[in-house]
């Protein structure tokens, strides 16, 4: 049997470690990560190995040569353009003339490969995925299997709502040579995105082997450090090639340790290290070849590569040093700091926790480094959440941040592309819009400034002006903290796809910007979009009917934008408006309706002439009634009650069930100029049109709407437990009717319950529907209690 080691990765999230080093070559206890992979293959009798190369290929080739030094035979296949995981393996087709194993060169694992191969043989599988369980499955492919191990569902890099299990694809596959016939040559093809979903669709024998043992994908700086701590703790069943002179204290050859040095395990000290008098080496420290630590210095949880020199009385805590770093006397470095190759840190300087310093930088004497040099912010999680990028104004979301973000976005567009920009009326949102505009233009992208607006307006503007995308900035002023939200729109006026979000995130973290003085973008100002939007909206309404009713509305909204924006439309419709708080009293104001408009124009709350607030389901039913005759197709989320689907069918509106995400619902009818569930002004005017035609007050119409008994609960759940919770929900409900479109929807004789992990907070949402309000409440409480128990 042969193997393919995938060793082409750049490891962008590991920078600055990987600025000059391919990801498979980052050292773990002074040995390249890929060396552990070679040792594992050899241990299981696999010695004929292909290695796929792309990023800095000569570093890998020069290190491992033909493999004879490691007792294996290595053959290299280099890619000039990215081919994807499957395309890389296809590139080795001439070598792979028998069953083969695909394995990554940048993971650390001791999984029993022999057992996985035996499982593959016993099931006559075409391909077998080696699976493991992890706490946070977002960066991996979630896999579900039946009792025999046959794969029934496969989802690559899911959102939290799509996490059905904590069992994930390790990127290790046992394959028959026939697999190669399904992969196109010289084309970017991915196993998890194209090949395995195709096998699943065609019911090919695709299996998953759930392995025990250690597995770590070295995908982040934190995981990189933890993998070495796990090796030192003996959690990985792999050989540590050094002498254990005391419990968990490992020394290689030619180490010089002065008599007054204090070592506290676990530690690993490589060849030709010199620890001078009074040095203290604390737990979880790894020192690479030729390191010199001068007298009086203290190290703890420090990871050093080779050829580093540390001055006197310096304290290195939780810091990673690459190669050839010189740190002068009396320096302090903080937890999570990373210092790249060939850096010089001056005497008495301080490198604060989490700071990353790119290669070849010099920090002056007595400097205090509080922000990263070159890299910028610390990555703690994905930039994008449920509805764009959110953060506290001028703290998380700053002009500097949006400038870099816009440059990353521009990198993904063709020069001369046109991007629409808008912002709410808040001065800081407008300031950020101008920072984005400047950055896009300097990157060769034309911008169209739509002025003050909201999300429905920019969606309309992007389409009507034939832009390839748009960015809207608004300040959410609910609560004490002023939260900025950045929304990205695609050329169809929809929120950008998750795939595009990932591309922007990757470009941002890699800092792949393109700026050229000879190709600057042009700035256009277009402030007529509001008028065009209102004209187009009015064309959708039964204007004479609304005019006859002479509606009086109480509108509760922000005062900077909406009153001026709505005035022309409401005047033409003969609608009288009082602006004020709903609590001022709808009946007191003698209004026909009360409306509380969301600041960004996407959502609203509706109140009857008697002051009763419509429930979520009542408002959705009313919106469906208002769509009748205007919309032929609509997307309803999986969380909506079945009665609304029946109502839509009676209205001859085709319903497509979708995920809860706004994009999923909108793209069902992506050709529509207005999205009735995400455009508050359009939806409100459509409801007025419907009420005018029916000539009945809203309170009377509500009695005719279908009764829906719903309950919603939010259960605290740590990030690390979400995958486990979802797996337990599936296991406990085997045999029941389940729907896995978004979260897990469990059907019961008394109704249904939807378990939906929150993608932004440490919560799981529980939504239920029952025949009665009591049934719905009981269902939701029962599952909320179970979710707490599963943790």
């Amino acid at each position: 049997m042969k193997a393919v080691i995938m060793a082409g990765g750049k490891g962008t999230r590991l920078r600055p470690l990987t600025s000059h080093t391919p990801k498979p070559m980052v050292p773990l206890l002074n040995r390249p990560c890929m060396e552990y992979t070679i040792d594992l293959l050899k241990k299981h009798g696999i010695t004929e190995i292909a290695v796929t190369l792309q990023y800095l290929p000569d570093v890998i080739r020069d290190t491992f040569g033909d493999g004879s030094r490691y007792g294996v035979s290595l053959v290299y296949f280099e890619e000039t353009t990215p081919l994807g995981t499957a395309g890389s393996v296809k590139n080795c087709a001439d070598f792979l003339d028998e069953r083969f194993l695909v394995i990554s060169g940048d993971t650390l694992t001791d999984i029993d490969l022999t057992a996985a191969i035996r499982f593959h043989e016993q099931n006559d599988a075409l391909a077998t995925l080696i699976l493991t369980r992890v706490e946070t499955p977002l960066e991996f492919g979630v896999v579900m299997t039946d009792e025999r191990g046959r794969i029934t569902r496969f989802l690559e890099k899911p959102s939290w709502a799509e996490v059905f299990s904590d069992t994930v694809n390790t990127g290790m596959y046992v394959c028959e040579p026939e697999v190669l016939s399904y992969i196109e040559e010289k084309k970017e093809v991915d196993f998890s995105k194209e090949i395995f979903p195709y096998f699943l669709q065609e019911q090919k024998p695709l299996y998953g082997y759930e392995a025990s043992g250690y597995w770590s994908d070295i995908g982040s700086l934190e995981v990189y450090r933890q993998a070495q701590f796990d090796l030192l703790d003996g959690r990985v069943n792999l050989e540590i090639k050094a002498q254990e002179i005391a419990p968990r204290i490992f020394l290689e050859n030619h180490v010089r340790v002065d008599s007054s040095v204090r070592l506290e395990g676990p530690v690993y000290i490589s060849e030709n290290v010199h620890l001078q008098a009074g040095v203290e080496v604390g737990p979880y420290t790894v020192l690479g070849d030729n390191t010199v630590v001068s007298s009086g210095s203290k190290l703890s949880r420090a990871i050093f590569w080779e050829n580093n020199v540390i001055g006197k009385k310096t304290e290195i805590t939780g810091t990673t040093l690459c190669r050839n770093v010189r740190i002068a006397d009396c320096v302090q470095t903080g937890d999570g700091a990373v210092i790249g190759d060939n850096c010089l840190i001056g005497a008495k300087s301080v490198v604060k926790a989490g700071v990353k310093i790119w290669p070849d930088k010099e920090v002056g004497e007595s400097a205090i480094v509080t922000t990263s040099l070159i890299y910028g912010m610390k990555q703690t999680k994905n930039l994008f959440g449920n509805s764009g990028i959110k953060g506290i104004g001028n703290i998380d979301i700053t002009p500097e941040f949006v400038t870099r973000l816009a440059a990353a976005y521009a990198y993904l567009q063709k020069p001369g592309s046109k991007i629409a920009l808008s912002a709410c009326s808040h001065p800081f949102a407008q300031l950020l819009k101008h920072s984005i505009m400047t950055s896009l233009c300097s990157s060769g992208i034309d911008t169209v400034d739509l002025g003050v607006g909201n999300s429905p307006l920019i969606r309309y503007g992007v389409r009507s002006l034939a832009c390839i995308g748009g960015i809207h900035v608004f300040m959410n002023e609910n609560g004490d903290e002023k939260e900025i939200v950045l929304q990205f729109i695609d050329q169809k006026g929809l929120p950008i796809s998750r795939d595009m979000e990932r591309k922007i995130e990757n470009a941002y973290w890699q800092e792949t910007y393109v700026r050229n003085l000879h190709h600057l973008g042009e700035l256009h100002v277009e402030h007529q979009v509001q008028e065009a939007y209102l004209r187009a909206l009015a064309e959708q309404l039964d204007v004479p009917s609304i005019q006859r009713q002479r509606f009086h509305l109480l509108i509760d909204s922000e005062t900077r934008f909406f009153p001026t924006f709505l005035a022309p439309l409401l005047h033409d419709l003969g609608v009288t408006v009082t602006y004020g708080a709903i609590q001022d009293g709808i009946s007191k104001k003698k209004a026909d309706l009360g409306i509380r408009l969301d600041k960004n124009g996407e959502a609203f709350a509706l109140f009857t002439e008697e002051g009763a607030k419509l429930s979520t389901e009542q408002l959705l039913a009313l919106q469906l009634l208002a769509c009748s005759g205007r919309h032929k197709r609509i997307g309803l989320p999986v969380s909506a009650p079945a009665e609304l689907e029946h109502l839509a069918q009676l209205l001859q509106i085709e319903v497509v069930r979708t995920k809860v995400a706004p994009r999923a619902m909108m793209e069902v009818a992506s050709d529509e100029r207005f999205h009735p569930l995400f455009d508050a002004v359009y939806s409100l005017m459509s409801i007025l049109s419907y009420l005018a035609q029916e000539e009945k007050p809203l309170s009377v119409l509500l009695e005719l709407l279908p009764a829906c008994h719903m309950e919603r609960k939010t259960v605290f759940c740590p990030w690390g437990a979400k995958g486990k919770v979802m797996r337990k929900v599936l296991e406990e409900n085997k045999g029941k009717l389940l729907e896995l479109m978004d979260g897990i929807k469990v059907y019961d004789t008394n109704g249904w319950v939807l378990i939906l992990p929150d993608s932004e907070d440490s919560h799981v949402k529980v939504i239920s529907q029952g025949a009665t309000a009591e049934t719905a409440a009981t269902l939701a409480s029962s599952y909320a209690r179970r979710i707490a128990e599963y943790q």
Side-chain angles (χ1 to χ4, degrees), residues 134-327:
V134 298
E135 284 190 349
T136 307
L138 291 191
E139 289 306 313
F140 311 105
V142 172
V143 181
M144 291 171 54
T145 60
D146 62 17
E147 294 80 2
R148 293 179 52 244
R150 188 152 187 159
I151 292 175
T152 57
R153 192 174 177 90
F154 186 93
L155 193 61
E156 179 65 6
K157 294 188 178 177
S159 66
W160 271 118
E162 298 169 315
V163 170
F164 310 116
S165 174
D166 56 356
T167 305
V168 301
N169 173 17
T170 63
M172 293 187 281
Y173 316 127
V174 185
C175 298
E176 295 301 312
E178 182 191 339
V179 168
L180 298 172
S181 65
Y182 295 95
I183 307 171
E184 288 188 55
E185 283 190 39
K186 298 179 182 178
K187 185 180 176 184
E188 188 168 354
V189 185
D190 198 85
F191 276 120
S192 54
K193 290 179 182 176
E194 285 107 357
I195 301 303
F196 294 147
Y198 175 76
F199 286 177
L200 200 58
Q201 176 188 322
E202 297 298 314
Q203 299 185 326
K204 302 288 184 186
L206 181 67
Y207 282 80
Y209 171 74
E210 189 171 323
S212 57
Y214 183 91
W215 178 81
S216 177
D217 174 49
I218 313 297
S220 70
L221 294 164
E222 293 79 10
V223 173
Y224 169 72
R225 293 172 56 78
Q226 188 60 48
Q228 300 191 71
F229 300 162
D230 292 342
L231 279 165
L232 287 172
D233 280 336
R235 292 185 58 207
V236 193
N237 186 22
L238 294 172
E239 182 185 4
I240 295 179
K241 295 184 178 179
Q243 183 182 358
E244 189 173 7
I245 63 165
R248 313 314 297 172
I249 295 179
F250 300 94
L251 266 64
E252 292 188 18
N253 298 324
H254 312 300
V255 174
R256 293 172 57 196
V257 180
D258 288 9
S259 58
S260 56
V261 168
R262 182 182 168 202
L263 301 179
E264 184 181 350
V267 299
Y268 188 98
I269 301 175
S270 307
E271 281 197 357
N272 300 317
V273 169
H274 183 193
L275 304 179
Q276 295 182 1
V279 166
E280 295 182 18
V281 179
Y284 300 104
T285 294
V286 178
L287 303 179
D289 292 343
N290 309 312
T291 293
V292 176
V293 183
S294 301
S295 58
S297 288
K298 297 179 181 179
L299 315 177
S300 178
R301 300 192 318 281
I303 307 289
F304 289 10
W305 295 9
E306 63 264 29
N307 304 324
N308 294 310
V309 177
I310 310 301
K312 299 175 181 177
K313 296 182 180 178
T314 282
E315 293 188 18
I316 310 289
T317 304
T319 302
T320 302
L321 271 60
C322 295
R323 301 178 183 86
N324 308 314
V325 176
R326 299 293 181 266
I327 295 185

Side-chain angles (χ1 to χ4, degrees), residues 594-613:
I595 302 103
R596 183 181 292 125
L597 279 172
D598 171 68
K599 178 181 178 179
N600 201 34
E602 292 189 292
F604 66 105
L606 194 60
F607 300 79
T608 69
E609 75 281 4
E610 298 169 347
K613 183 183 178 183

Side-chain angles (χ1 to χ4, degrees), residues 1 70 85 102 460 619 704:
M1 184 163 171
Y70 302 89
T85 54
V102 178
Y460 182 88
L619 180 57
L704 306 176

